[in-house]
Amino acid sequence: MVSNNVVHSQKIERIIDQLNVILKQESTTHYGKRLNLFLAPVEDANTTKNNQRNECWRRKICEWLFQVVDHCEFDRQVVFIALNYLDRTASAAIKTEGHSIDEKKFQLLATTCFYIAMKLHSTKDNSDLQDLTADDMPQCKLRITEFVQLSRGLFAVAALEEKEREILDMLDWHVNPPTAVLVITLLINFLPQNILPSKELLNAKVEIYEVSRYLSELGVCVSSIAFNYTPSEIAYAAILCAFEACVTKIHIPLDMRLQFTNNISASITCCHLTPDSVSSLKDLLKGLSPSMFVYEDDGLCEARFINNKSPEEGKGSPVCVTKHPNC
């Protein structure tokens, strides 16, 4: 009979292989860091205002996508993929045209990117920690006519199909980007197995996963984070934040945190993930939900996880996204 230690060791070896592939993906021009043209500094005041409107639209699109996938009970990871497509194609369009994108074009890009992501990557939501790295979940689809309905009829089927071909060409058919959520599910496995009892370890994994995933979902809505940091950096920083934001009833010993970071540094080739390398990113993530980091008076490095709500839900379809009063 194979021991649990052997099984865990084999699992870690597979995870290390996956992470090395992801790190290699992140070093490519297709999936690596990109210039954030949503907030690029320009001399033209009107262009600056338009870029700010693009950023506002992007955030509302992101919130709306989370609302749709929750309503359909799809895995929220598809939102990360759709936003990756949108960021890459919108930036390319802004760079090519030399100015910001108008409302209707941005809406069409967002809707079509979501359609492609759903077509290729949508699965039913599965939050069971035991199945986080499973790749055999059944895929679920939405028909293209349903995306026409989501746009309130603003875009016909033919327009979505034409834009789909255009987007795939712009992406050069690189449509399998790594996501922060995927990396979180892999990195969680580097928590040491021998410090906490098995039941406490499982509870700690669940809490750390939920908090870090929530922070990564907040982060994907902010272009300055999505453009300037890789999914692995966001995932790693979110987990380190989760150590601090855990519910006080879940004790995460300091030596467990240190061994976690040491395990990653020792296991992954060319690993650039260290607490110092993501310190600025940690501050940004904490700033997105400061109420999660309410420290106790006794000085313990613990905080209360105030809530686990999703990013603010958008309302309606992408047609009404640009009508937000703050845009």
Side-chain angles (χ1 to χ4, degrees):
M1 183 174 179
V2 180
S3 68
N4 289 335
N5 288 337
V6 172
V7 172
H8 180 72
S9 177
Q10 293 173 343
K11 180 180 179 181
I12 288 294
E13 288 180 5
R14 293 195 299 270
I15 288 171
I16 290 173
D17 289 341
Q18 286 181 270
L19 286 169
N20 283 327
V21 170
I22 288 172
L23 292 174
K24 186 175 181 180
Q25 279 186 295
E26 291 178 345
S27 67
T28 66
T29 56
H30 300 289
Y31 298 131
K33 298 177 184 179
R34 299 172 300 279
L35 177 63
N36 184 0
L37 295 179
F38 285 105
L39 296 178
V42 291
E43 297 180 0
D44 187 348
N46 290 329
T47 304
T48 300
K49 182 178 179 180
N50 287 336
N51 285 348
Q52 291 172 345
R53 284 168 61 87
N54 287 159
E55 169 70 7
C56 181
W57 297 341
R58 183 189 180 280
R59 170 149 189 147
K60 297 306 296 180
I61 286 288
C62 184
E63 295 167 356
W64 173 76
L65 294 181
F66 277 118
Q67 183 185 29
V68 173
V69 297
D70 287 347
H71 177 76
C72 299
E73 298 183 341
F74 291 140
D75 189 342
R76 297 180 120 216
Q77 187 170 202
V78 75
V79 176
F80 289 74
I81 297 171
L83 264 293
N84 176 277
Y85 297 166
L86 177 61
D87 290 342
R88 289 158 63 193
T89 53
S91 293
I94 293 173
K95 186 175 181 179
T96 300
E97 298 178 11
H99 56 77
S100 61
I101 305 173
D102 63 45
E103 295 181 17
K104 188 171 182 179
K105 183 171 183 179
F106 195 90
Q107 294 165 354
L108 179 57
L109 270 178
T111 304
T112 311
C113 287
F114 185 37
Y115 168 62
I116 297 171
M118 289 288 287
K119 178 192 286 190
L120 298 178
H121 298 283
S122 61
T123 60
K124 280 294 182 181
D125 184 28
N126 186 346
S127 57
D128 185 352
L129 195 63
Q130 300 300 319
D131 294 330
L132 287 177
T133 58
D135 55 6
D136 56 351
M137 291 186 291
Q139 285 199 312
C140 306
K141 307 296 182 186
L142 289 178
R143 294 185 297 273
I144 193 169
T145 53
E146 294 175 280
F147 284 86
V148 173
Q149 294 172 357
L150 286 172
S151 73
R152 293 185 179 175
L154 181 62
F155 309 120
V157 169
L160 289 174
E161 290 177 336
E162 180 181 356
K163 183 56 67 174
E164 178 186 13
R165 291 189 291 270
E166 179 183 327
I167 288 174
L168 290 172
D169 286 339
M170 294 173 72
L171 297 176
D172 199 20
W173 289 84
H174 287 82
V175 290
N176 296 291
T179 67
V181 172
L182 172 60
V183 180
I184 287 171
T185 65
L186 299 175
L187 292 181
I188 286 289
N189 292 278
F190 287 92
L191 287 170
Q193 306 293 302
N194 56 352
I195 295 179
L196 293 177
S198 58
K199 185 175 181 180
E200 290 184 29
L201 177 61
L202 179 59
N203 290 338
K205 281 186 175 182
V206 171
E207 291 295 337
I208 293 169
Y209 172 75
E210 292 295 339
V211 176
S212 55
R213 177 166 182 153
Y214 172 71
L215 288 171
S216 70
E217 289 172 354
L218 292 178
V220 78
C221 294
V222 181
S223 68
S224 59
I225 293 178
F227 278 81
N228 296 330
Y229 298 95
T230 63
S232 63
E233 290 171 334
I234 295 170
Y236 185 71
I239 292 176
L240 297 186
C241 288
F243 287 156
E244 301 177 25
C246 281
V247 189
T248 50
K249 66 179 181 181
I250 302 296
H251 179 54
I252 310 293
L254 178 60
D255 54 344
M256 185 175 182
R257 307 178 195 187
L258 293 175
Q259 194 170 330
F260 168 79
T261 57
N262 290 338
N263 286 345
I264 292 175
S265 298
S267 302
I268 306 173
T269 57
C270 302
C271 182
H272 61 285
L273 300 176
T274 65
D276 288 341
S277 70
V278 297
S279 59
S280 298
L281 176 54
K282 279 181 60 182
D283 292 338
L284 291 175
L285 292 176
K286 288 180 180 181
L288 297 178
S289 186
S291 61
M292 291 173 59
F293 302 91
V294 181
Y295 293 93
E296 301 295 327
D297 294 335
D298 59 8
L300 291 177
C301 189
E302 293 185 354
R304 296 193 177 275
F305 183 31
I306 304 302
N307 60 60
N308 190 27
K309 295 181 180 178
S310 62
E312 294 179 7
E313 293 184 347
K315 297 181 180 179
S317 75
V319 177
C320 69
V321 166
T322 59
K323 305 306 180 185
H324 190 268
N326 294 329
C327 295

